[in-house]
Amino acid sequence: MSLWRHVSRGLRVLTHRRATDQDIADEVQHYLDQMAPEDRSAARATMAREHVRSYGWENAIDQVLVDTRYAARRLLASPGFTTVCALTLAVGIGTSTAIFSAVYPILFEPLPYPDAGRILMISDRGAGGSRVDVTFGTYAELGARSRSFSALAVVEPWQPTLTSRAEPERLDGQRVSASYFRTLGITPRLGRDFDAADDRPHGPNVVLVSNALWQKDASILGKQITLDGDRYTVIGVMPAGFDNVVSPSAQVWSLLQYESSAPFFRDAGSHYTREWGHHLAMIGRLRSGVTLDAARREIDDLARIPTPEFVRPSWASLADGLTVHALQDDVTSGVRPALLAILGAVLLVLTIACVNVTNLLLARGVQRRGEFAMRAALGAGRARIIGQLVTESLLLALLGGILGLGLAAIATRTLVALSPPELPRVDAIGINGSVFLYAFGVTTVCGLLVGLVPALQNTANLRQRQPGQQREQREQREQREQREQHEQREQREQRQQRQQAQQPQQRHQRHQRHHSIRKALVVTEVALSLVLLVGAGLLLRSLRSLFGVPPGFNPSHVLTMQVQDAQSRYAFFTRALDAVRRVPGVTSAGYTSQLPLSGRVDGYGAHMESNTRTDESGDFSALRYTASPGYVETMGIALRRGRLLDEHDIAGQPHAILVSESFAKRNLAGQDPLGQRLRFGPDTVWSTIVGVVGDVKQQSLDGDETDAVYNTTSQWVWVDVKQSFVVHTQGDPAALAPAVKAAIWSVDKDVPIVQIATMNDLVSRSEAKRQFALTVFEAFGLAALALAAIGLYGVLSGGVTERLREIGLRSALGASPSDIVTLIIRQGMTLATLGIALGLFGAIVASRAIASLLFGISSLDPTTYVGVIAVLLGVSGLACWLPAMRASGVAPLIALRTP
C-alpha cells in the first residue's frame, strides 16, 4: 500500500469509525463464508475482526484516545484524590518553572547581541586578582597594539539631570566611546549611531535615548534637550528590546569626548591627567577566528612588554596584567552561586512532589487490585494495563502542569519583586516559549516517573496473554478436557489446590514488596526535606550573624537622600545643608561624597610623608569620604583619637583630614597618627591627620575593613556633582522626607533628589542577595516539610486501613490502645529516622553549594543541624500520631469482620 493510501485509510478510520467497523464486519463475514461450517465459530470471527482492526497506525491513536477517555473517567470518579495529586504536582512544576524562567535567561541564555560569545570584558588586575576599572590610556594602547579585537569600547556611568520638564529628573545613562554600540552589535531603530569624528574634545553634544524615553515624547528625535544645563541633540533611538547588560537602567548615552591630557582638576601644574584614572569599563569584540585563550595570551604579552609610545604611570603600569572574561560571565558572576543553589533547591522540591504522588498512586493501586484482576481475566495483557495506568498519570501530570503554569506566573512576578538590585537581566524573566517548553518537558517526565513505578508494581503478578491467543487456547483446553481421562482431571484439581495453598503466601509477598517501596519513597522524602531545611537554616543563621556585625555607624533614625547639582556648587550644598538643619524634628545633618552600603566605592592613591611601609614607594590606596562638618556625628561614627572636622577646616586653612582606624594600624604601625602628613589622590597639598575614627563597612557587612580618608568639601580639589545628605531625626526618619526635600528645593528647585532611604534600609539592602536566597530556601523548605509530612501520614494511614484485621486481632488478644499507638508511631518514626540519617549525608554534601553565601558559620554548623532534625522529628511525630489515634479507636469486632 502506498504512503498516501496508508495515511488516507487511517484518517477515514479515525473520522468514520462506525462505517469502518461495518466494512470490517462484512470483510470478516465474507472470509468466514469461504470456510467449512465446522471451522466457523464466534471466537474465530472475533479474533479475525480484532486482527483486521489492529492493522494500521490509526489503531495506536485510537487506543490512546480510548485510554485518555477512560483515564479521565477514572480521575473524575475520585475528585479528592485527583485534586490532591494535581495540586502536589502543581507545586513542584510551578516552582521549578518559575525558577527556570529566572535562571535560564540569566545564566544560560546567550546575551541578546549578535555572536554574544565573542564579546569580552577587559579589566585591570588588582590585588589578589581582583578586577579594577581600566584607564583611558590602557584603552588607547590596546586599541593601537592589539590585533585580537575587531572593536574596543570604554564606558563610564553618567547621571545627567533633565531640566526641560516641569520638574527636574535625574536620568541613568552612560558616556561611551563612539564604538560602544558597534562592539555590542546593536544599531539604533531610529536615527543614527555615534560618529567617531564626533568623539573628540569639545565635539558636538549628541545623545542616543532609550525607546522608553522616546515613548514619553515621540517628537524628541532630532530636537535638543537640556542635560546638566547643556543642550544636547537627540540623534537616535535604541531598539525597544535593547538589553544593556553593562548598565540595565541606562536611558541616555553620550560620547566620552575624552580629553586625555586634561588634569583631574583645574591646576596647570598637576601631573595627574584624566587618561590614567581607573574609572572606565572596557569591552571588546573578538575577531573571527580568534579564540579567547589567544586573546588572553596577546593581552598578557602587551601588558608585560610596554612600548615608548605609551608611557604608563606607576599606578597603571599593568605589572599584574589584565583580566579577560566573557561579558556574560562578568555579568552573572555575582549571582551565579545563589541562583544555582536555588535551582538545586527547587529541583529537590519537584522530586519530593513526584515521590509524594508516586506514593499516592501506589496506595490507590492497592484499592484497584480487583479491577486489574478483572481486566486481566478478560484478556488484557500486562503491557496494556501499564499503558492505561501511565496514561492516567500523564493526564494527572497535565492537570498539575496547567495549574503549575498559573502558579509559575504568580511566582515569577514575586521573584522579580524580591530580586536583589544586582540581579542582571531582570527584564528577561518571564513566561515565554522556552519556559513553556520546559514546563511541558517537566510535566511529561513527571507523568512518566510518577506513573511507571506504580504501574509496574501493581501489575507485577499479571501474566495474561493477548485476548485472541487466550480465547483460542481456552477452546483447545476445553476440547482437550473432554477427551482427557478421569486421572488427568484429578491431577489438574490437585495442581489447582496447591496453587490455592500458595496464594496467601504470594499475596503476603506482594504486600510486603508494595509496602517496602512506599516506605522507601517516604524515607527519600524525609531525606530531601532535611537537605532543604538545612540549607534554609544555614542561610538564616548566617544572615543573623551578618546583621550582628557592627557597620561602624548607628543607622537608627537616619534618613538619606542623594542630591545632584550639575554645576558642582559648593555654596549650594552649604546653603541646602543649613536649610535642612532648620527643619523641625532634625537633630543633626551633613553630607558626604559616598554613603556607606550605598553601592558606591570611590578610592584614590595616597603617599605618606613618613614612609613606614615595606615597599619603596610608600604608595597605597584608600577610600575617599569628602564630607561636610557634622557628617561623622550624624552617622554616629566613633572618634578614636584627636578631633573631628569642623567649620574651621575651610579653603585657605591648612588641610585637615581624618583617617580610619585600619588606616592607622596598617600604615602608621607603632607611630602616633596625629600630626602625620600625607598627599591623597590628585591633591598636591600635604594634609595633616587631626583625628582617627572607627572603621565603616562601605561595600557590605561581610567585607574587610578598608583604609579610609575623610576631608572637608571646601578643602578637596573639586566639588562632587552628587552628595548624599544624611539627617538624624527625633522620630520616624521616613516621615521627614517630604520636609527635607522641600528644604533643599527652597535653595534650588531644579536639582533632582533621588535614592531616598533610611540607613536601616540600606543596611538591609546591602545583603539583598542573601536575603533573596534565604526567602526562596525557606519557602521551598516549608513546602518540602509539608509534602514529607503528608507522605508519611499517607503511608501510615494506608497501612492502618490495610491492617484493620491485624489491629483488631491484637486488640482482641489484649493489646491496649496505647500499645497500638506506640506500634504505629514506632513504625513511622523509624522511617523518619532513616530519612534523617540519609538526609544528613546529603545535606553535608549539598551545603557546600551555598558556602559562598554563608557568613560567620560553617556549612557543618551543629546548631543548625540539631535544630532542623528536631523540627523534622516533631513534624514527623505529628504525622504519625494522627493515624495511630485512628488505629487505637478501631473496635475489635468491626476490624475482624473486615474482609
Side-chain angles (χ1 to χ4, degrees):
M1 182 183 295
S2 66
L3 179 61
W4 169 248
R5 292 186 62 189
H6 196 67
V7 172
S8 61
R9 176 188 179 278
L11 292 175
R12 182 176 181 274
V13 171
L14 292 174
T15 57
H16 300 81
R17 169 59 68 184
R18 183 173 299 178
T20 304
D21 286 345
Q22 185 60 46
D23 291 344
I24 293 174
D26 294 341
E27 182 179 350
V28 171
Q29 186 61 43
H30 177 73
Y31 168 74
L32 294 175
D33 290 341
Q34 306 300 318
M35 300 176 61
E38 62 272 12
D39 294 332
R40 301 172 189 171
S41 69
R44 192 177 298 276
T46 301
M47 291 171 54
R49 282 196 297 271
E50 290 182 354
H51 178 73
V52 174
R53 186 179 289 117
S54 65
Y55 175 76
W57 60 270
E58 68 278 0
N59 179 66
I61 296 179
D62 187 61
Q63 181 173 308
V64 170
L65 294 176
V66 170
D67 287 348
T68 302
R69 288 193 295 270
Y70 180 78
R73 289 196 300 271
R74 292 295 310 180
L75 295 179
L76 288 174
S78 305
F81 169 83
T82 303
T83 301
V84 171
C85 289
L87 290 177
T88 302
L89 288 175
V91 171
I93 295 172
T95 53
S96 67
T97 300
I99 296 300
F100 176 82
S101 71
V103 172
Y104 179 73
I106 295 174
L107 298 185
F108 304 116
E109 187 178 48
L111 296 178
Y113 309 127
D115 294 326
R118 307 190 69 80
I119 304 176
L120 309 180
M121 178 68 73
I122 306 168
S123 307
D124 206 339
R125 182 179 284 114
S130 61
R131 304 181 193 181
V132 180
D133 286 344
V134 302
T135 68
F136 189 83
T138 300
Y139 162 66
E141 182 177 351
L142 287 184
R145 298 181 61 191
S146 175
R147 296 294 176 267
S148 296
F149 299 93
S150 59
L152 286 169
V154 285
V155 56
E156 67 177 353
W158 182 40
Q159 293 179 318
T161 301
L162 178 64
T163 54
S164 58
R165 301 185 179 216
E167 184 176 305
E169 179 183 1
R170 196 185 74 171
L171 304 177
D172 283 330
Q174 294 173 299
R175 287 195 179 274
V176 302
S177 58
S179 57
Y180 177 67
F181 293 110
R182 285 188 287 276
T183 304
L184 294 179
I186 303 296
T187 57
R189 63 177 291 261
L190 297 175
R192 66 174 179 87
D193 197 355
F194 291 125
D195 192 335
D198 295 336
D199 193 9
R200 54 182 170 80
H202 312 296
N205 287 346
V206 293
V207 293
L208 291 168
V209 298
S210 67
N211 184 74
L213 192 60
W214 171 78
Q215 286 181 335
K216 294 180 180 179
D217 183 4
S219 65
I220 196 175
L221 183 62
K223 294 184 177 180
Q224 289 190 330
I225 58 176
T226 302
L227 299 173
D228 288 344
D230 296 324
R231 303 291 289 175
Y232 285 79
T233 302
V234 179
I235 63 171
V237 179
M238 297 308 297
F242 173 53
D243 189 357
N244 186 39
V245 297
V246 179
S247 179
S249 60
Q251 302 165 279
V252 61
W253 295 265
S254 183
L255 290 168
L256 277 173
Q257 297 179 338
Y258 215 89
E259 189 175 355
S260 60
S261 60
F264 273 120
F265 61 100
R266 301 186 183 281
D267 181 354
S270 174
H271 62 279
Y272 291 90
T273 58
R274 291 189 67 216
E275 70 172 333
W276 295 113
H278 290 275
H279 57 277
L280 297 174
M282 180 161 59
I283 60 173
R285 177 176 285 274
L286 284 175
R287 293 184 184 276
S288 179
V290 179
T291 64
L292 175 59
D293 290 337
R296 284 175 173 163
R297 287 193 298 270
E298 185 201 40
I299 286 182
D300 284 341
D301 291 341
L302 296 181
R304 190 177 63 255
I305 307 173
T307 62
E309 292 83 2
F310 298 94
V311 180
R312 308 167 186 166
S314 59
W315 63 86
S317 65
L318 304 182
D320 294 324
L322 294 164
T323 64
V324 181
H325 300 275
L327 178 59
Q328 181 154 10
D329 293 341
D330 188 84
V331 169
T332 61
S333 59
V335 298
R336 182 179 294 272
L339 287 180
L340 289 179
I342 290 172
L343 180 61
V346 76
L347 291 179
L348 289 179
V349 173
L350 179 61
T351 303
I352 292 172
C354 290
V355 169
N356 219 338
V357 174
T358 301
N359 244 334
L360 291 174
L361 289 174
L362 280 170
R364 190 168 185 248
V366 174
Q367 303 171 4
R368 298 176 63 184
R369 278 191 226 140
E371 173 195 340
F372 299 149
M374 179 64 72
R375 296 181 65 185
L378 294 176
R382 187 188 184 199
R384 184 72 180 84
I385 298 177
I386 289 176
Q388 175 64 58
L389 293 176
V390 171
T391 302
E392 290 184 25
S393 65
L394 285 172
L395 188 58
L396 199 59
L398 178 62
L399 293 175
I402 294 172
L403 295 174
L405 277 175
L407 177 62
I410 299 173
T412 298
R413 288 194 292 269
T414 305
L415 282 174
V416 172
L418 296 176
S419 62
E422 62 266 29
L423 190 68
R425 305 199 65 192
V426 174
D427 292 340
I429 299 176
I431 307 298
N432 52 34
S434 299
V435 175
F436 269 110
L437 287 176
Y438 170 84
F440 176 77
V442 168
T443 299
T444 303
V445 171
C446 289
L448 292 174
L449 290 178
V450 303
L452 196 57
V453 173
L456 292 174
Q457 173 64 21
N458 292 325
T459 62
N461 295 284
L462 296 180
R463 293 291 184 269
Q464 300 300 321
R465 298 178 177 86
Q466 295 298 324
Q469 296 175 344
Q470 189 178 21
R471 292 189 184 96
E472 184 177 1
Q473 291 178 5
R474 185 168 60 249
E475 292 178 359
Q476 295 174 358
R477 186 170 60 253
E478 290 175 354
Q479 294 175 3
R480 188 170 56 252
E481 287 176 356
Q482 292 176 2
R483 294 191 300 266
E484 286 179 349
Q485 300 298 324
H486 179 70
E487 295 82 5
Q488 293 175 330
R489 187 177 299 109
E490 290 180 351
Q491 292 176 2
R492 186 169 60 254
E493 291 175 354
Q494 293 174 0
R495 185 168 58 252
Q496 290 175 352
Q497 291 175 0
R498 287 195 301 269
Q499 290 176 353
Q500 291 175 358
Q502 293 174 356
Q503 283 180 358
Q505 182 179 1
Q506 292 174 351
R507 283 197 300 269
H508 178 72
Q509 292 175 350
R510 288 199 302 270
H511 285 310
Q512 288 294 104
R513 186 167 59 250
H514 183 84
H515 285 296
S516 297
I517 294 176
R518 294 188 64 194
K519 290 176 181 178
L521 292 175
V522 169
V523 169
T524 302
E525 282 189 273
V526 174
L528 295 177
S529 300
L530 185 132
V531 173
L532 275 175
L533 289 172
V534 165
L538 289 173
L539 287 172
L540 178 61
R541 282 184 44 78
S542 177
L543 210 56
R544 287 181 176 176
S545 176
L546 192 62
F547 284 128
V549 173
F553 54 86
N554 184 4
S556 300
H557 298 285
V558 177
L559 175 70
T560 73
M561 57 184 65
Q562 191 179 93
V563 180
Q564 180 169 332
D565 177 35
Q567 302 177 34
S568 302
R569 298 167 295 173
Y570 171 67
F572 160 75
F573 289 114
T574 302
R575 292 171 56 198
L577 181 58
D578 291 339
V580 169
R581 286 172 174 167
R582 291 193 297 268
V583 173
V586 173
T587 57
S588 63
Y591 60 79
T592 180
S593 59
Q594 64 172 341
L595 196 63
L597 303 179
S598 64
R600 185 180 180 188
V601 179
D602 184 23
Y604 288 90
H607 181 85
M608 295 296 304
E609 184 178 35
S610 59
N611 179 16
T612 60
R613 295 174 66 90
T614 56
D615 59 316
E616 295 181 0
S617 66
D619 292 335
F620 54 93
S621 63
L623 295 178
R624 172 184 73 99
Y625 294 90
T626 299
S628 69
Y631 165 75
V632 174
E633 300 95 309
T634 302
M635 289 290 291
I637 301 173
L639 175 64
R640 302 302 187 193
R641 296 193 59 187
R643 68 173 178 88
L644 297 176
L645 301 175
D646 56 32
E647 287 76 6
H648 300 93
D649 299 314
I650 59 176
Q653 297 297 318
H655 284 204
I657 61 170
L658 305 176
V659 297
S660 65
E661 197 170 12
S662 62
F663 181 104
K665 289 179 181 178
R666 273 194 281 264
N667 304 298
L668 295 167
Q671 298 187 59
D672 184 0
L674 300 182
Q676 298 286 343
R677 300 203 307 171
L678 60 84
R679 274 202 297 254
F680 187 60
D683 199 346
T684 58
V685 178
W686 289 102
S687 300
T688 303
I689 299 175
V690 299
V692 178
V693 296
D695 292 323
V696 170
K697 298 291 186 179
Q698 176 60 33
Q699 293 179 270
S700 64
L701 292 176
D702 65 346
D704 296 330
E705 287 75 13
T706 307
D707 297 349
V709 172
Y710 297 77
N711 52 19
T712 60
T713 307
S714 59
Q715 290 188 340
W716 184 237
V717 294
W718 67 74
V719 178
D720 292 274
V721 174
K722 291 176 289 188
Q723 300 282 8
S724 293
F725 278 67
V726 293
V727 182
H728 192 278
T729 66
Q730 293 177 345
D732 180 15
L736 276 185
V740 174
K741 289 172 62 179
I744 296 173
W745 278 334
S746 70
V747 179
D748 188 343
K749 64 179 180 59
D750 291 330
V751 296
I753 302 175
V754 296
Q755 297 182 7
I756 301 173
T758 66
M759 277 308 305
N760 280 324
D761 289 338
L762 290 181
V763 172
S764 180
R765 291 176 193 171
S766 69
E767 302 305 326
K769 182 173 64 176
R770 286 185 172 93
Q771 287 183 321
F772 176 67
L774 172 62
T775 301
V776 176
F777 262 84
E778 283 182 334
F780 291 164
L782 291 176
L785 182 62
L787 290 175
I790 292 172
L792 185 58
Y793 169 82
V795 167
L796 294 179
S797 181
V800 168
T801 301
E802 296 173 9
R803 297 169 61 190
L804 285 179
R805 289 181 59 84
E806 175 194 339
I807 294 172
L809 183 60
R810 288 176 181 271
S811 298
L813 293 176
S816 65
S818 61
D819 294 332
I820 301 298
V821 170
T822 302
L823 173 66
I824 301 300
I825 290 180
R826 182 173 64 247
Q827 292 175 346
M829 294 306 292
T830 299
L831 298 180
T833 303
L834 289 175
I836 289 173
L838 183 62
L840 281 175
F841 176 77
I844 292 172
V845 175
S847 60
R848 297 177 182 176
I850 60 172
S852 62
L853 300 175
L854 303 181
F855 175 82
I857 64 170
S858 165
S859 59
L860 302 178
D861 177 54
T863 303
T864 301
Y865 281 81
V866 171
V868 167
I869 291 174
V871 169
L872 201 52
L873 286 175
V875 173
S876 299
L878 179 61
C880 297
W881 180 77
L882 295 175
M885 293 303 297
R886 177 187 163 212
S888 66
V890 174
L893 291 178
I894 296 177
L896 291 173
R897 290 172 183 171
T898 302

